[in-house]
């Protein structure tokens, strides 16, 4: 009679989060044998070589040398999708028990066998790390480094929309456990070979910038001579260089049929994972991927753009938040009197308008300081007000666009104009309060307790 063997598995094209999850699972279930898939991302292969003494995992070929023993308990990490576990399908079907630890939202392709523990965190590694802490187990500095890399990689260095406070808490604890940030930086910092540099230059040349309700979305549609590793890193770099809120990369290689779609987003309103699941792909809010083996590049791009335009983006306009109870200044008002009025109102600045409410400038406490330094506080407001390239919006300007204008120009408020006539003011505090409200609502809705 064959003996059973416990296994730890993860998805094809294993990444840093998958590898770190396997490491933690091997600590939680030391009797289990971690088996890597046939494919991994190329930078992970470098990491595995460096940390061979810490995580010397086997591959599928090793199981065959054991003459296909009966799988006992099979632990799956960082996925639950059949398509991503295809090479391990026979092992899962024969397993005595199956336990899945995953942080991705459900899809129609998910395994329904066994027990599932879903982690509501930005990285799957985070959930398994806290399970290890709850068991009273410790990590060596080398193990802590791998775990830290897994969390940073899957949360975009704690910047992706799906990142949680638990992810940040885990990072803090791992640093106390002597995780090496220089190693994390080494593997997350992009390094491009000559072929990748050429592809990257082509990306920047071919990229299309779209304005979607005030969100800056970049679309890259590219036909490659051959399959190239590290496309997701190239897409991320293009997104950073172009200041995108979200970037959509659609690629087809001449040496392999099918289309690869890479989605990355820095704003919660554009959810990469939701879009990928429409193609039966995988991922989360900040980053997701799809491979369509039978698709055409143009058709896949067209379908993706249709999904993007149908996304339920916030339609909040400036008119929804602007103040219409205006505090205004006349151009001939002395600076000293204007300063007194600003102070009494507890505000930092105000529009300067004509008698017909036409905007002619903006006067702030900064301007008061300039007048005081020049000993000219008796001069009129018009002598010190700002008039050059005034930043303004209309009532129908998307709120996200107004937010960007305030941030990029370092202004506290924007006059709202209809034609040349002032009809309102939108301030930095108005925008911050509006953004805080949905976050507060989300935090109340998610009732995940902090790990002890």
């Amino acid at each position: 009679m064959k003996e059973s063997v416990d296994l730890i598995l993860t998805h094809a094209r294993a990444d840093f989060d998958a590898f770190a999850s396997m490491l933690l699972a091997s600590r939680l279930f030391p009797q289990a044998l971690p088996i890597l898939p046939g494919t991994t991302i190329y930078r992970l292969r470098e990491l595995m070589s460096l940390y061979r003494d810490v995580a010397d995992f086997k591959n599928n070929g090793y199981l065959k040398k054991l003459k296909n023993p009966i799988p006992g308990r099979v632990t799956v990490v960082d996925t639950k999708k059949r398509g991503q576990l295809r090479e391990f399908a026979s092992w899962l079907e024969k397993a005595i028990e199956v336990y899945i630890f995953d942080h991705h939202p459900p899809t129609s392709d998910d395994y329904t066998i066994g027990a599932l523990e879903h982690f509501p965190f930005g990285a799957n590694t985070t959930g398994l790390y806290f399970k290890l802490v709850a068991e009273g187990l410790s990590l060596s500095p080398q193990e802590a480094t791998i775990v830290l890399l897994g969390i940073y990689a899957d949360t975009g260095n704690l910047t992706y929309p799906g990142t949680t406070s638990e992810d940040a808490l885990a990072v803090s604890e791992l640093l106390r456990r002597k995780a090496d940030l220089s190693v994390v930086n080494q593997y997350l910092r992009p390094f491009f070979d000559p072929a990748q540099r050429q592809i990257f230059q082509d990306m920047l040349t071919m990229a299309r910038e779209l304005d979607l309700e005030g969100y800056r979305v970049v679309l890259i549609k590219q036909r490659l001579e051959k399959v190239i590793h590290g496309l997701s890193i190239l897409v991320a770099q293009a997104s950073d260089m172009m200041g995108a809120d979200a970037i959509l990369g659609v690629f087809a290689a001449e040496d392999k049929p099918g289309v690869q779609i890479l989605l990355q987003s820095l704003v919660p309103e554009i959810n990469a994972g939701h879009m990928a699941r429409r193609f039966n792909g995988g991922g989360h809010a900040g980053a997701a991927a799809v491979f369509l083996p039978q698709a055409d590049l143009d058709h896949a791009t067209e379908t993706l753009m249709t999904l993007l335009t149908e996304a339920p983006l916030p339609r909040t306009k400036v008119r929804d938040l602007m103040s219409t109870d205006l505090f205004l200044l006349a151009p001939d008002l002395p600076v000293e009197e204007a300063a007194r009025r600003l102070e009494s109102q507890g505000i930092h600045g105000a529009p300067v308008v004509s008698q017909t409410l036409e905007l002619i400038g903006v006067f702030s406490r900064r301007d008061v300081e300039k007048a005081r330094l020049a000993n000219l506080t008796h001069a009129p407001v018009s002598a010190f007000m700002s008039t050059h390239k005034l930043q303004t919006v209309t009532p129908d300007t998307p709120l996200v666009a107004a937010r960007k204008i305030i941030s990029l120009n370092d202004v506290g408020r924007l006059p709202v104009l209809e034609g040349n006539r002032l009809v309102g003011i939108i301030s930095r505090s108005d925008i911050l309060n509006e953004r805080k409200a949905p976050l507060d609502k989300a935090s109340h809705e998610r009732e995940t307790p902090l790990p002890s």
Side-chain angles (χ1 to χ4, degrees), residues 77-96:
V77 297
D78 199 35
T79 189
K80 51 186 174 292
K81 294 185 64 176
R82 287 183 175 84
Q84 294 183 336
L85 293 163
R86 192 172 291 115
E87 66 185 287
F88 300 121
S90 62
W91 298 98
L92 288 164
E93 291 169 2
K94 298 173 186 175
I96 298 172

Side-chain angles (χ1 to χ4, degrees), residues 134-165:
E135 293 292 327
L137 301 175
S138 61
L139 293 171
S140 69
Q142 293 80 16
E143 291 171 328
T145 299
I146 295 173
V147 174
L148 182 65
L149 178 56
I151 295 174
Y152 267 142
D154 232 44
T155 62
N157 297 331
L158 301 181
T159 64
Y160 286 161
T163 303
T164 67
S165 59

Side-chain angles (χ1 to χ4, degrees), residues 45-311:
R45 293 195 286 274
E46 299 175 20
L47 181 81
M48 290 190 298
S49 177
L50 180 64
Y51 285 92
R52 186 74 65 191
D53 294 339
V54 178
D56 187 16
F57 299 162
K58 307 301 181 182
N59 56 34
N60 213 347
Y62 180 83
L63 287 179
K64 294 178 181 178
K65 293 179 182 179
L66 298 179
K67 301 185 186 302
N68 295 322
I70 299 172
R73 170 178 173 143
V74 175
T75 301
V76 178
V77 297
D78 199 35
T79 189
K80 51 186 174 292
K81 294 185 64 176
R82 287 183 175 84
Q84 294 183 336
L85 293 163
R86 192 172 291 115
E87 66 185 287
F88 300 121
S90 62
W91 298 98
L92 288 164
E93 291 169 2
K94 298 173 186 175
I96 298 172
E97 297 177 284
V98 175
Y99 287 81
I100 300 174
F101 299 96
D102 187 32
H103 72 132
H104 297 97
T107 73
S108 59
D109 190 40
D110 290 349
Y111 271 106
T112 56
I113 59 175
L116 167 66
E117 183 166 351
H118 178 263
F119 300 129
F121 309 132
N124 196 67
T125 303
T126 300
L128 285 166
Y129 169 74
F130 283 121
K131 287 186 72 67
L132 181 127
V133 171
E135 293 292 327
L137 301 175
S138 61
L139 293 171
S140 69
Q142 293 80 16
E143 291 171 328
T145 299
I146 295 173
V147 174
L148 182 65
L149 178 56
I151 295 174
Y152 267 142
D154 232 44
T155 62
N157 297 331
L158 301 181
T159 64
Y160 286 161
T163 303
T164 67
S165 59
E166 290 86 353
D167 295 300
L169 178 60
V171 165
S172 174
E173 293 189 8
L174 289 163
L175 291 174
R176 285 201 296 270
R177 294 175 185 262
K178 309 301 182 184
D180 190 342
L181 273 174
S182 66
V183 173
V184 174
N185 183 54
Q186 175 187 350
Y187 286 97
L188 294 186
R189 182 180 61 191
F191 170 80
F192 301 154
D193 61 30
Q196 290 171 321
R197 287 197 292 271
Q198 183 59 58
I199 296 295
F200 183 66
Q201 291 174 7
D202 294 342
M203 279 186 183
L204 297 179
T205 301
M206 302 172 71
R208 287 173 51 198
E209 297 185 36
L210 312 169
D211 186 291
L212 195 67
E213 293 293 329
Y215 295 91
R216 189 176 190 182
V217 179
V218 171
L219 171 67
I220 297 173
K221 182 178 79 170
Q222 200 162 350
R223 193 174 297 279
L224 310 173
E225 290 184 5
K226 61 181 181 179
V227 175
I228 189 167
H229 295 299
L231 271 179
S232 61
I233 299 175
L234 298 176
V235 169
Q237 284 293 108
S239 177
D240 290 345
M241 289 190 67
M242 303 183 73
D245 293 314
I247 188 165
L248 321 175
V250 190
F251 304 94
E254 294 181 2
D255 66 338
K256 180 181 179 180
V259 173
Q260 184 176 4
I261 300 176
L262 299 173
L263 309 169
Q264 297 178 12
S265 175
L266 293 176
V267 294
E269 295 86 354
I270 300 176
N271 190 305
H274 286 171
M275 294 182 67
R277 285 192 289 281
R278 296 291 293 272
F279 292 95
N280 210 23
H284 44 78
V290 180
F291 182 71
L292 305 173
Q294 305 298 326
D296 167 78
L297 181 65
D298 293 331
H299 183 262
T301 304
E302 182 181 342
T303 303
L304 183 63
M305 291 305 300
T306 299
L307 289 178
L308 181 65
T309 55
E310 291 176 351

Side-chain angles (χ1 to χ4, degrees), residues 301-350:
T301 304
E302 182 181 342
T303 303
L304 183 63
M305 291 305 300
T306 299
L307 289 178
L308 181 65
T309 55
E310 291 176 351
L313 294 175
R315 298 299 197 263
T316 307
K317 307 290 186 182
V318 165
R319 69 168 69 252
D320 299 320
L321 288 180
M322 71 181 190
S323 300
T324 55
D325 184 12
L326 302 177
F327 178 79
L328 308 174
L329 297 174
D332 57 354
L333 187 71
V335 168
E336 58 190 3
E337 175 60 20
R340 187 189 65 78
R341 295 185 185 182
L342 289 176
E343 186 174 351
S344 66
Q345 293 290 323
I347 58 177
H348 291 275

